[in-house]
Amino acid sequence: MTSPGSGGEIGRFLTLAETAELLAVDAATVDELVRSGELPAIRVGTSGPWRVERTQLEVWIDEQYEATRRHTAWNQGEFANIVELSGARQGRMRPVD
């Protein structure tokens, strides 16, 4: 592992800014994901900066791909338009005359 800022291999832990750069989003988006608990991270000290472990980021990315695949497969399935199975709220649909 190389020292921070050496331009070599990425270290074990990433800052939120580094994580944002890898995901091609802004740091505020990553901060929101971390604070919501969606993206696993640790805090250095009791009020120090957040750090995202590189391997955890890779697992999270894989999970996002899988969730997208499942969502797409469901929406293309033959039962996707059945309200009871789709997860849509029944109160939003009006009966047809």
Side-chain angles (χ1 to χ4, degrees):
M1 184 162 53
T2 60
S3 62
S6 67
E9 180 183 325
I10 297 174
R12 178 178 176 184
F13 292 99
L14 306 169
T15 65
L16 296 188
E18 291 167 335
T19 304
E21 185 177 337
L22 289 171
L23 294 173
V25 298
D26 60 25
T29 300
V30 173
D31 185 60
E32 191 176 307
L33 289 169
V34 167
R35 290 181 186 274
S36 72
E38 186 176 342
L39 178 61
I42 61 168
R43 194 158 220 168
V44 179
T46 55
S47 61
W50 289 100
R51 294 292 184 256
V52 177
E53 190 172 11
R54 181 177 35 86
T55 55
Q56 288 298 315
L57 177 61
E58 292 168 2
V59 167
W60 182 82
I61 290 169
D62 289 342
E63 289 171 352
Q64 298 308 300
Y65 275 120
E66 180 60 20
T68 300
R69 186 199 64 75
R70 283 192 314 266
H71 179 75
T72 301
W74 174 258
N75 286 335
Q76 293 174 354
E78 67 179 285
F79 299 114
N81 61 349
I82 299 174
V83 176
E84 294 84 16
L85 299 176
S86 70
R89 291 186 177 194
Q90 291 180 357
R92 292 185 179 176
M93 298 189 71
R94 297 192 316 239
V96 178
D97 293 333

Coordinates of all heavy atoms in Angstrom, one line a residue:
M1 N 0.9 -1.2 0.0 CA 0.0 0.0 0.0 C 0.9 1.2 0.0 O 1.9 1.3 0.7 CB -0.9 0.0 1.2 CG -1.9 1.1 1.3 SD -3.3 0.8 2.4 CE -2.6 0.4 3.9
T2 N 0.5 2.2 -0.8 CA 1.3 3.4 -0.9 C 0.8 4.5 0.1 O -0.3 4.4 0.6 CB 1.3 4.0 -2.3 OG1 0.0 4.3 -2.6 CG2 1.9 3.0 -3.3
S3 N 1.6 5.5 0.3 CA 1.2 6.5 1.2 C 0.2 7.5 0.5 O 0.2 7.6 -0.7 CB 2.4 7.3 1.7 OG 3.0 7.9 0.6
P4 N -0.7 8.1 1.3 CA -1.7 9.0 0.7 C -1.0 10.1 -0.1 O 0.0 10.7 0.3 CB -2.4 9.6 1.9 CG -2.1 8.7 3.0 CD -0.8 8.1 2.7
G5 N -1.6 10.4 -1.3 CA -1.1 11.4 -2.1 C 0.1 11.1 -3.0 O 0.7 11.9 -3.7
S6 N 0.6 9.8 -2.9 CA 1.7 9.4 -3.7 C 1.4 9.1 -5.2 O 2.2 8.9 -6.0 CB 2.4 8.2 -3.1 OG 1.5 7.0 -3.2
G7 N 0.1 9.1 -5.5 CA -0.4 8.8 -6.8 C -0.4 7.3 -7.2 O -0.6 7.0 -8.3
G8 N -0.1 6.5 -6.3 CA -0.1 5.0 -6.5 C -1.4 4.4 -6.3 O -2.5 5.0 -6.5
E9 N -1.4 3.2 -5.8 CA -2.6 2.4 -5.5 C -3.4 3.1 -4.5 O -2.9 3.8 -3.5 CB -2.1 1.0 -4.9 CG -3.3 0.1 -4.6 CD -2.8 -1.2 -4.0 OE1 -1.7 -1.7 -4.4 OE2 -3.5 -1.7 -3.1
I10 N -4.7 2.9 -4.6 CA -5.7 3.5 -3.6 C -5.5 2.8 -2.3 O -5.4 1.5 -2.3 CB -7.1 3.4 -4.1 CG1 -7.3 4.2 -5.4 CG2 -8.1 3.8 -3.1 CD1 -8.7 4.0 -6.1
G11 N -5.5 3.5 -1.2 CA -5.4 2.9 0.1 C -6.6 2.1 0.5 O -7.6 2.1 -0.2
R12 N -6.6 1.5 1.7 CA -7.7 0.8 2.2 C -8.9 1.6 2.5 O -10.0 1.2 2.2 CB -7.3 0.0 3.5 CG -8.4 -0.8 4.1 CD -7.9 -1.5 5.4 NE -9.0 -2.2 6.0 CZ -9.0 -2.8 7.1 NH1 -7.8 -2.9 7.7 NH2 -10.0 -3.4 7.6
F13 N -8.7 2.8 3.1 CA -9.8 3.7 3.4 C -9.8 4.9 2.5 O -8.7 5.5 2.2 CB -9.7 4.1 4.9 CG -9.9 3.0 5.8 CD1 -8.8 2.3 6.4 CD2 -11.2 2.6 6.1 CE1 -9.0 1.3 7.3 CE2 -11.4 1.6 7.0 CZ -10.3 0.9 7.6
L14 N -11.0 5.3 2.1 CA -11.2 6.5 1.2 C -11.9 7.6 2.0 O -12.8 7.3 2.8 CB -12.0 6.1 0.0 CG -11.6 4.8 -0.8 CD1 -12.7 4.4 -1.7 CD2 -10.3 5.2 -1.5
T15 N -11.5 8.8 1.7 CA -12.3 10.0 2.2 C -13.6 10.0 1.4 O -13.8 9.3 0.4 CB -11.5 11.3 2.0 OG1 -11.4 11.5 0.5 CG2 -10.1 11.2 2.6
L16 N -14.5 10.8 1.9 CA -15.8 11.0 1.2 C -15.5 11.6 -0.2 O -16.2 11.2 -1.2 CB -16.8 11.8 2.0 CG -17.2 11.2 3.3 CD1 -18.3 12.1 3.9 CD2 -17.7 9.8 3.2
A17 N -14.6 12.5 -0.3 CA -14.3 13.1 -1.6 C -13.7 12.1 -2.5 O -14.1 12.1 -3.7 CB -13.3 14.3 -1.4
E18 N -12.8 11.2 -2.1 CA -12.3 10.2 -2.9 C -13.4 9.2 -3.4 O -13.4 8.8 -4.6 CB -11.2 9.4 -2.2 CG -9.9 10.3 -2.0 CD -8.9 9.6 -1.0 OE1 -9.4 8.8 -0.2 OE2 -7.7 9.9 -1.1
T19 N -14.2 8.9 -2.5 CA -15.4 8.0 -2.8 C -16.3 8.6 -3.8 O -16.7 8.0 -4.8 CB -16.2 7.7 -1.5 OG1 -15.3 7.1 -0.5 CG2 -17.3 6.7 -1.8
A20 N -16.5 9.9 -3.6 CA -17.4 10.7 -4.6 C -16.7 10.7 -6.0 O -17.4 10.5 -7.0 CB -17.6 12.1 -4.1
E21 N -15.4 10.9 -6.0 CA -14.7 10.9 -7.3 C -14.8 9.5 -8.0 O -15.1 9.5 -9.2 CB -13.3 11.3 -7.1 CG -12.5 11.4 -8.4 CD -11.1 11.9 -8.1 OE1 -10.8 12.5 -7.1 OE2 -10.2 11.6 -9.0
L22 N -14.7 8.4 -7.2 CA -14.8 7.1 -7.8 C -16.2 6.8 -8.4 O -16.3 6.1 -9.4 CB -14.4 6.0 -6.8 CG -12.9 6.0 -6.5 CD1 -12.6 5.0 -5.3 CD2 -12.1 5.6 -7.7
L23 N -17.2 7.3 -7.7 CA -18.6 7.1 -8.1 C -19.1 8.2 -9.1 O -20.2 8.0 -9.6 CB -19.5 7.1 -6.8 CG -19.3 6.0 -5.8 CD1 -20.2 6.2 -4.6 CD2 -19.6 4.7 -6.5
A24 N -18.2 9.2 -9.3 CA -18.6 10.3 -10.2 C -19.9 11.0 -9.8 O -20.8 11.3 -10.6 CB -18.8 9.8 -11.7
V25 N -19.9 11.3 -8.5 CA -21.0 12.1 -7.9 C -20.3 13.1 -7.0 O -19.1 13.1 -6.8 CB -21.9 11.2 -7.0 CG1 -22.6 10.2 -7.9 CG2 -21.2 10.5 -5.9
D26 N -21.1 14.0 -6.4 CA -20.5 15.0 -5.5 C -20.4 14.5 -4.1 O -21.0 13.5 -3.7 CB -21.3 16.3 -5.6 CG -22.8 16.2 -5.1 OD1 -23.1 15.3 -4.4 OD2 -23.6 17.1 -5.6
A27 N -19.5 15.1 -3.3 CA -19.3 14.7 -2.0 C -20.5 14.7 -1.1 O -20.7 13.9 -0.2 CB -18.1 15.5 -1.3
A28 N -21.4 15.6 -1.4 CA -22.7 15.7 -0.6 C -23.5 14.5 -0.8 O -24.2 14.0 0.2 CB -23.4 17.0 -1.0
T29 N -23.5 13.9 -1.9 CA -24.3 12.7 -2.2 C -23.7 11.5 -1.4 O -24.4 10.8 -0.8 CB -24.3 12.3 -3.7 OG1 -24.9 13.4 -4.4 CG2 -25.0 11.1 -4.0
V30 N -22.4 11.4 -1.4 CA -21.7 10.3 -0.6 C -22.0 10.6 0.9 O -22.3 9.6 1.6 CB -20.2 10.3 -0.9 CG1 -19.5 9.3 0.0 CG2 -20.0 9.9 -2.4
D31 N -21.9 11.8 1.3 CA -22.2 12.1 2.8 C -23.6 11.7 3.1 O -23.8 11.1 4.2 CB -22.0 13.6 3.0 CG -22.1 13.9 4.5 OD1 -21.4 13.4 5.3 OD2 -23.0 14.7 4.8
E32 N -24.5 11.9 2.3 CA -25.9 11.5 2.5 C -26.1 10.0 2.6 O -26.8 9.5 3.4 CB -26.8 12.1 1.4 CG -28.3 12.0 1.6 CD -29.1 12.7 0.5 OE1 -28.8 13.9 0.2 OE2 -29.9 12.0 -0.1
L33 N -25.4 9.3 1.7 CA -25.4 7.8 1.7 C -24.8 7.3 2.9 O -25.4 6.3 3.5 CB -24.7 7.3 0.4 CG -25.3 7.5 -0.9 CD1 -24.3 7.1 -2.0 CD2 -26.6 6.7 -1.0
V34 N -23.8 7.9 3.4 CA -23.1 7.4 4.6 C -24.0 7.7 5.8 O -24.2 6.8 6.7 CB -21.7 8.1 4.8 CG1 -21.2 7.9 6.2 CG2 -20.8 7.5 3.7
R35 N -24.5 8.9 5.9 CA -25.3 9.3 7.1 C -26.6 8.5 7.2 O -27.1 8.3 8.3 CB -25.5 10.8 7.1 CG -24.3 11.6 7.4 CD -24.5 13.1 7.5 NE -23.3 13.8 7.6 CZ -22.7 14.1 8.8 NH1 -23.2 13.6 9.9 NH2 -21.6 14.7 8.8
S36 N -27.2 8.1 6.0 CA -28.4 7.3 6.0 C -28.1 5.9 6.4 O -29.1 5.1 6.6 CB -29.1 7.4 4.7 OG -28.3 6.7 3.7
G37 N -26.9 5.5 6.3 CA -26.5 4.1 6.6 C -26.5 3.2 5.4 O -26.2 2.0 5.5
E38 N -26.9 3.8 4.2 CA -26.9 3.0 3.0 C -25.5 2.5 2.6 O -25.3 1.4 2.1 CB -27.6 3.8 1.9 CG -27.8 3.0 0.6 CD -28.5 3.7 -0.4 OE1 -29.2 4.7 -0.2 OE2 -28.4 3.2 -1.6
L39 N -24.5 3.4 2.7 CA -23.1 3.1 2.4 C -22.4 3.0 3.6 O -22.2 3.9 4.4 CB -22.5 4.3 1.5 CG -21.1 4.1 1.1 CD1 -20.9 2.9 0.2 CD2 -20.6 5.4 0.3
P40 N -21.8 1.8 3.9 CA -21.1 1.5 5.1 C -19.8 2.4 5.2 O -19.1 2.5 4.3 CB -20.7 0.1 5.1 CG -21.5 -0.5 4.0 CD -21.9 0.6 3.1
A41 N -19.6 3.0 6.4 CA -18.4 3.8 6.6 C -18.1 3.9 8.1 O -19.0 3.5 8.9 CB -18.7 5.3 6.1
I42 N -16.9 4.3 8.4 CA -16.5 4.4 9.8 C -16.1 5.9 10.1 O -15.8 6.6 9.1 CB -15.4 3.5 10.2 CG1 -14.1 3.8 9.4 CG2 -15.8 2.0 10.1 CD1 -12.9 3.1 9.9
R43 N -16.2 6.3 11.3 CA -15.8 7.6 11.7 C -14.5 7.5 12.5 O -14.3 6.6 13.3 CB -16.9 8.2 12.6 CG -16.7 9.7 12.7 CD -17.9 10.4 13.1 NE -18.0 11.6 12.4 CZ -19.0 12.4 12.3 NH1 -20.1 12.0 12.8 NH2 -18.9 13.5 11.6
V44 N -13.5 8.3 12.1 CA -12.2 8.3 12.8 C -12.4 9.1 14.0 O -12.5 10.3 14.0 CB -11.1 8.8 11.9 CG1 -9.8 8.8 12.6 CG2 -11.0 8.0 10.6
G45 N -12.4 8.5 15.2 CA -12.7 9.2 16.5 C -14.2 9.4 16.6 O -15.0 9.0 15.9
T46 N -14.5 10.2 17.7 CA -15.9 10.4 18.0 C -16.5 11.4 17.0 O -17.7 11.4 16.8 CB -16.1 10.9 19.4 OG1 -15.3 12.0 19.7 CG2 -15.7 9.7 20.4
S47 N -15.8 12.4 16.6 CA -16.4 13.4 15.7 C -15.4 13.7 14.5 O -15.5 14.7 13.9 CB -16.6 14.7 16.4 OG -15.4 15.2 17.0
G48 N -14.6 12.7 14.2 CA -13.6 12.9 13.1 C -14.2 12.7 11.7 O -15.4 12.5 11.6
P49 N -13.4 12.7 10.7 CA -13.9 12.5 9.4 C -14.4 11.1 9.1 O -13.9 10.1 9.7 CB -12.7 12.8 8.5 CG -11.5 12.5 9.4 CD -12.0 12.8 10.8
W50 N -15.3 10.9 8.2 CA -15.8 9.6 7.7 C -14.8 9.0 6.8 O -14.2 9.7 6.0 CB -17.1 9.8 7.0 CG -18.3 10.1 7.9 CD1 -18.9 11.3 8.1 CD2 -19.0 9.2 8.7 NE1 -19.9 11.2 8.9 CE2 -20.0 9.9 9.3 CE3 -19.0 7.8 9.0 CZ2 -21.0 9.4 10.2 CZ3 -19.9 7.3 9.8 CH2 -20.8 8.0 10.5
R51 N -14.7 7.7 6.8 CA -13.9 6.9 5.9 C -14.7 5.7 5.4 O -15.4 5.1 6.1 CB -12.6 6.4 6.6 CG -11.6 7.5 7.0 CD -11.1 8.2 5.8 NE -10.1 9.2 6.1 CZ -10.3 10.5 6.1 NH1 -11.5 11.0 5.8 NH2 -9.4 11.4 6.4
V52 N -14.5 5.5 4.1 CA -15.2 4.4 3.5 C -14.2 3.3 3.1 O -13.2 3.7 2.4 CB -16.0 4.8 2.2 CG1 -16.6 3.6 1.5 CG2 -17.0 5.9 2.5
E53 N -14.3 2.1 3.6 CA -13.3 1.1 3.2 C -13.6 0.7 1.8 O -14.7 0.5 1.3 CB -13.5 -0.1 4.1 CG -12.4 -1.1 4.0 CD -12.5 -2.2 5.0 OE1 -13.5 -2.4 5.7 OE2 -11.5 -3.0 5.1
R54 N -12.5 0.6 1.0 CA -12.5 0.3 -0.4 C -13.3 -0.9 -0.7 O -14.1 -1.0 -1.6 CB -11.1 0.3 -1.0 CG -11.0 0.0 -2.5 CD -9.6 0.0 -3.0 NE -8.6 -0.5 -2.1 CZ -8.3 -1.8 -2.0 NH1 -8.9 -2.7 -2.7 NH2 -7.4 -2.2 -1.1
T55 N -13.0 -2.0 0.1 CA -13.7 -3.3 -0.2 C -15.2 -3.1 0.1 O -16.0 -3.8 -0.6 CB -13.1 -4.4 0.6 OG1 -13.1 -4.1 2.0 CG2 -11.7 -4.7 0.2
Q56 N -15.6 -2.4 1.1 CA -17.0 -2.2 1.4 C -17.7 -1.4 0.2 O -18.8 -1.6 -0.1 CB -17.2 -1.4 2.7 CG -16.9 -2.3 3.9 CD -17.8 -3.5 4.0 OE1 -19.0 -3.4 3.8 NE2 -17.3 -4.6 4.3
L57 N -17.0 -0.4 -0.3 CA -17.5 0.3 -1.5 C -17.7 -0.6 -2.7 O -18.8 -0.5 -3.3 CB -16.5 1.5 -1.9 CG -16.9 2.3 -3.1 CD1 -18.3 3.0 -2.9 CD2 -15.8 3.3 -3.4
E58 N -16.8 -1.5 -2.9 CA -16.9 -2.5 -4.0 C -18.1 -3.4 -3.8 O -18.9 -3.6 -4.7 CB -15.7 -3.3 -4.2 CG -14.5 -2.4 -4.7 CD -13.1 -3.1 -4.6 OE1 -13.1 -4.3 -4.2 OE2 -12.2 -2.4 -5.0
V59 N -18.3 -3.8 -2.5 CA -19.5 -4.7 -2.2 C -20.8 -3.9 -2.4 O -21.7 -4.4 -3.0 CB -19.4 -5.2 -0.8 CG1 -20.7 -5.8 -0.3 CG2 -18.3 -6.2 -0.6
W60 N -20.8 -2.6 -2.0 CA -22.0 -1.7 -2.1 C -22.3 -1.5 -3.6 O -23.5 -1.6 -4.0 CB -21.7 -0.4 -1.4 CG -22.9 0.5 -1.5 CD1 -24.0 0.5 -0.7 CD2 -23.1 1.6 -2.4 NE1 -24.9 1.5 -1.1 CE2 -24.3 2.2 -2.1 CE3 -22.3 2.1 -3.5 CZ2 -24.8 3.3 -2.8 CZ3 -22.8 3.2 -4.2 CH2 -24.1 3.7 -3.9
I61 N -21.3 -1.3 -4.4 CA -21.5 -1.1 -5.9 C -22.1 -2.4 -6.5 O -23.0 -2.3 -7.2 CB -20.2 -0.8 -6.6 CG1 -19.7 0.7 -6.2 CG2 -20.3 -0.9 -8.1 CD1 -18.3 1.0 -6.6
D62 N -21.6 -3.6 -6.1 CA -22.1 -4.8 -6.6 C -23.6 -5.0 -6.2 O -24.4 -5.4 -7.0 CB -21.3 -6.0 -6.1 CG -19.9 -6.1 -6.7 OD1 -19.7 -5.5 -7.8 OD2 -19.1 -6.8 -6.1
E63 N -23.9 -4.6 -4.9 CA -25.3 -4.7 -4.5 C -26.2 -3.7 -5.3 O -27.3 -4.1 -5.6 CB -25.4 -4.3 -3.0 CG -24.8 -5.4 -2.1 CD -24.7 -4.9 -0.6 OE1 -24.9 -3.7 -0.3 OE2 -24.4 -5.8 0.2
Q64 N -25.7 -2.6 -5.7 CA -26.5 -1.6 -6.4 C -26.7 -2.2 -7.8 O -27.9 -2.1 -8.4 CB -25.8 -0.3 -6.6 CG -25.6 0.4 -5.2 CD -26.8 0.5 -4.4 OE1 -27.8 1.1 -4.9 NE2 -26.8 0.0 -3.2
Y65 N -25.7 -2.9 -8.4 CA -25.9 -3.5 -9.7 C -27.0 -4.6 -9.6 O -27.9 -4.7 -10.5 CB -24.6 -4.1 -10.2 CG -23.8 -3.2 -11.0 CD1 -22.5 -2.9 -10.6 CD2 -24.2 -2.6 -12.2 CE1 -21.7 -2.0 -11.3 CE2 -23.4 -1.7 -12.9 CZ -22.1 -1.4 -12.4 OH -21.3 -0.6 -13.1
E66 N -26.9 -5.4 -8.5 CA -27.9 -6.5 -8.3 C -29.3 -5.9 -8.1 O -30.3 -6.5 -8.7 CB -27.5 -7.4 -7.2 CG -28.4 -8.5 -6.9 CD -28.6 -9.5 -8.0 OE1 -27.7 -9.6 -8.9 OE2 -29.6 -10.2 -8.1
A67 N -29.4 -4.9 -7.3 CA -30.7 -4.3 -7.1 C -31.3 -3.8 -8.4 O -32.5 -3.9 -8.7 CB -30.6 -3.2 -6.1
T68 N -30.5 -3.2 -9.2 CA -30.9 -2.6 -10.5 C -31.4 -3.8 -11.4 O -32.4 -3.7 -12.1 CB -29.8 -1.8 -11.2 OG1 -29.5 -0.7 -10.3 CG2 -30.3 -1.3 -12.5
R69 N -30.6 -4.9 -11.4 CA -30.9 -6.0 -12.3 C -32.3 -6.6 -11.8 O -33.1 -6.9 -12.7 CB -29.8 -7.1 -12.1 CG -30.0 -8.3 -13.1 CD -29.3 -9.5 -12.7 NE -29.7 -10.0 -11.4 CZ -30.8 -10.7 -11.2 NH1 -31.6 -11.0 -12.1 NH2 -31.1 -11.2 -9.9
R70 N -32.5 -6.8 -10.5 CA -33.7 -7.3 -10.0 C -34.9 -6.4 -10.4 O -36.0 -6.9 -10.8 CB -33.7 -7.6 -8.5 CG -32.9 -8.8 -8.1 CD -33.1 -9.1 -6.6 NE -33.0 -7.9 -5.7 CZ -31.9 -7.6 -5.1 NH1 -30.8 -8.2 -5.2 NH2 -31.9 -6.5 -4.3
H71 N -34.7 -5.1 -10.2 CA -35.8 -4.2 -10.5 C -36.1 -4.2 -12.0 O -37.3 -4.2 -12.3 CB -35.3 -2.8 -10.1 CG -36.3 -1.7 -10.4 ND1 -37.5 -1.5 -9.6 CD2 -36.4 -0.8 -11.4 CE1 -38.2 -0.5 -10.1 NE2 -37.5 0.0 -11.2
T72 N -35.1 -4.3 -12.8 CA -35.4 -4.3 -14.3 C -36.1 -5.6 -14.6 O -37.0 -5.6 -15.4 CB -34.1 -4.2 -15.0 OG1 -33.5 -2.9 -14.7 CG2 -34.3 -4.2 -16.5
A73 N -35.6 -6.7 -14.1 CA -36.2 -8.0 -14.4 C -37.7 -8.0 -13.9 O -38.6 -8.6 -14.6 CB -35.5 -9.1 -13.7
W74 N -38.0 -7.5 -12.8 CA -39.3 -7.4 -12.3 C -40.2 -6.6 -13.2 O -41.3 -7.0 -13.5 CB -39.4 -6.9 -10.8 CG -40.8 -6.7 -10.4 CD1 -41.5 -5.5 -10.3 CD2 -41.7 -7.7 -9.9 NE1 -42.8 -5.8 -9.9 CE2 -42.9 -7.1 -9.6 CE3 -41.6 -9.1 -9.8 CZ2 -44.0 -7.8 -9.2 CZ3 -42.7 -9.8 -9.3 CH2 -43.9 -9.1 -9.0
N75 N -39.7 -5.4 -13.6 CA -40.5 -4.6 -14.4 C -40.8 -5.2 -15.8 O -41.7 -4.8 -16.5 CB -39.9 -3.2 -14.6 CG -40.1 -2.4 -13.3 OD1 -41.0 -2.6 -12.5 ND2 -39.1 -1.5 -13.1
Q76 N -40.0 -6.1 -16.2 CA -40.1 -6.8 -17.5 C -40.9 -8.1 -17.4 O -41.3 -8.7 -18.4 CB -38.8 -7.0 -18.2 CG -38.1 -5.8 -18.6 CD -36.7 -6.0 -19.1 OE1 -36.2 -7.2 -19.1 NE2 -36.0 -5.0 -19.5
G77 N -41.2 -8.5 -16.2 CA -41.9 -9.7 -16.0 C -43.4 -9.6 -16.3 O -44.0 -8.6 -16.4
E78 N -44.0 -10.8 -16.4 CA -45.4 -10.8 -16.8 C -46.4 -10.4 -15.6 O -47.5 -10.0 -15.9 CB -45.8 -12.2 -17.2 CG -45.8 -13.3 -16.1 CD -46.2 -14.6 -16.6 OE1 -47.4 -14.8 -16.8 OE2 -45.3 -15.5 -16.8
F79 N -45.9 -10.3 -14.4 CA -46.8 -9.9 -13.3 C -46.5 -8.5 -12.8 O -47.1 -8.0 -11.8 CB -46.6 -10.8 -12.1 CG -47.0 -12.2 -12.4 CD1 -46.0 -13.2 -12.4 CD2 -48.3 -12.6 -12.7 CE1 -46.4 -14.5 -12.7 CE2 -48.7 -13.9 -13.0 CZ -47.7 -14.9 -13.1
A80 N -45.7 -7.7 -13.5 CA -45.3 -6.4 -13.1 C -46.4 -5.4 -13.0 O -46.4 -4.4 -12.3 CB -44.2 -5.8 -14.0
N81 N -47.5 -5.6 -13.8 CA -48.6 -4.7 -13.8 C -49.7 -5.1 -12.9 O -50.7 -4.4 -12.8 CB -49.2 -4.6 -15.3 CG -49.7 -5.9 -15.8 OD1 -49.5 -6.9 -15.2 ND2 -50.4 -5.9 -16.9
I82 N -49.5 -6.1 -12.1 CA -50.5 -6.5 -11.1 C -50.2 -5.7 -9.8 O -49.2 -5.8 -9.2 CB -50.5 -8.0 -10.8 CG1 -50.8 -8.8 -12.1 CG2 -51.4 -8.4 -9.7 CD1 -50.7 -10.3 -12.0
V83 N -51.2 -4.9 -9.4 CA -51.0 -4.0 -8.3 C -50.6 -4.7 -7.0 O -49.7 -4.2 -6.3 CB -52.3 -3.1 -8.0 CG1 -52.1 -2.3 -6.8 CG2 -52.6 -2.3 -9.3
E84 N -51.2 -5.8 -6.7 CA -50.9 -6.5 -5.4 C -49.5 -7.0 -5.4 O -48.9 -7.1 -4.3 CB -51.9 -7.7 -5.2 CG -53.3 -7.3 -5.0 CD -54.0 -7.1 -6.3 OE1 -53.6 -7.5 -7.4 OE2 -55.1 -6.4 -6.3
L85 N -48.9 -7.3 -6.5 CA -47.5 -7.8 -6.5 C -46.5 -6.7 -6.8 O -45.3 -6.9 -6.5 CB -47.4 -8.9 -7.6 CG -48.3 -10.1 -7.4 CD1 -48.2 -11.1 -8.5 CD2 -48.0 -10.8 -6.1
S86 N -46.9 -5.6 -7.4 CA -45.9 -4.6 -7.8 C -45.4 -3.7 -6.7 O -44.4 -3.0 -6.8 CB -46.5 -3.7 -8.9 OG -47.5 -2.9 -8.4
G87 N -46.1 -3.7 -5.5 CA -45.8 -2.8 -4.4 C -46.4 -1.5 -4.5 O -46.1 -0.6 -3.7
A88 N -47.1 -1.2 -5.6 CA -47.8 0.1 -5.7 C -48.9 0.2 -4.7 O -49.5 -0.8 -4.4 CB -48.4 0.3 -7.1
R89 N -49.2 1.4 -4.3 CA -50.3 1.6 -3.3 C -51.6 1.4 -4.0 O -51.9 2.0 -5.0 CB -50.2 3.0 -2.7 CG -49.0 3.1 -1.8 CD -49.1 4.4 -1.1 NE -47.9 4.5 -0.2 CZ -47.8 5.4 0.8 NH1 -48.8 6.3 0.9 NH2 -46.8 5.4 1.5
Q90 N -52.5 0.7 -3.4 CA -53.8 0.4 -4.0 C -54.6 1.6 -4.0 O -55.5 1.8 -4.9 CB -54.5 -0.7 -3.3 CG -53.8 -2.1 -3.5 CD -54.5 -3.2 -2.8 OE1 -55.5 -3.0 -2.1 NE2 -54.0 -4.4 -3.0
G91 N -54.5 2.5 -3.0 CA -55.3 3.7 -2.9 C -55.2 4.7 -4.1 O -56.0 5.5 -4.3
R92 N -54.1 4.6 -4.8 CA -53.8 5.5 -5.9 C -54.6 5.2 -7.1 O -54.7 6.0 -8.0 CB -52.3 5.6 -6.2 CG -51.5 6.2 -5.0 CD -50.1 6.3 -5.4 NE -49.3 7.0 -4.4 CZ -48.1 7.1 -4.4 NH1 -47.4 6.8 -5.5 NH2 -47.4 7.7 -3.4
M93 N -55.0 4.0 -7.3 CA -55.7 3.6 -8.5 C -57.2 3.7 -8.3 O -57.7 3.4 -7.3 CB -55.3 2.1 -8.8 CG -53.8 2.0 -9.1 SD -53.4 0.4 -9.7 CE -54.1 0.5 -11.4
R94 N -57.9 4.2 -9.3 CA -59.3 4.3 -9.3 C -59.9 3.1 -10.1 O -59.4 2.7 -11.1 CB -59.7 5.6 -9.9 CG -59.2 6.8 -9.1 CD -59.8 8.1 -9.6 NE -59.9 8.3 -11.0 CZ -59.4 9.2 -11.7 NH1 -58.7 10.2 -11.1 NH2 -59.5 9.3 -13.0
P95 N -61.0 2.7 -9.6 CA -61.7 1.6 -10.3 C -62.1 2.0 -11.7 O -62.5 3.2 -11.9 CB -62.9 1.2 -9.5 CG -63.1 2.3 -8.5 CD -61.8 3.1 -8.4
V96 N -62.1 1.1 -12.6 CA -62.6 1.3 -14.0 C -64.0 1.0 -14.1 O -64.5 0.0 -13.6 CB -61.7 0.5 -15.0 CG1 -62.2 0.7 -16.4 CG2 -60.3 0.8 -14.9
D97 N -64.8 1.9 -14.7 CA -66.3 1.7 -14.9 C -66.5 0.6 -15.8 O -65.9 0.3 -16.8 CB -67.0 2.9 -15.4 CG -66.9 4.0 -14.3 OD1 -66.8 3.7 -13.1 OD2 -67.0 5.2 -14.7

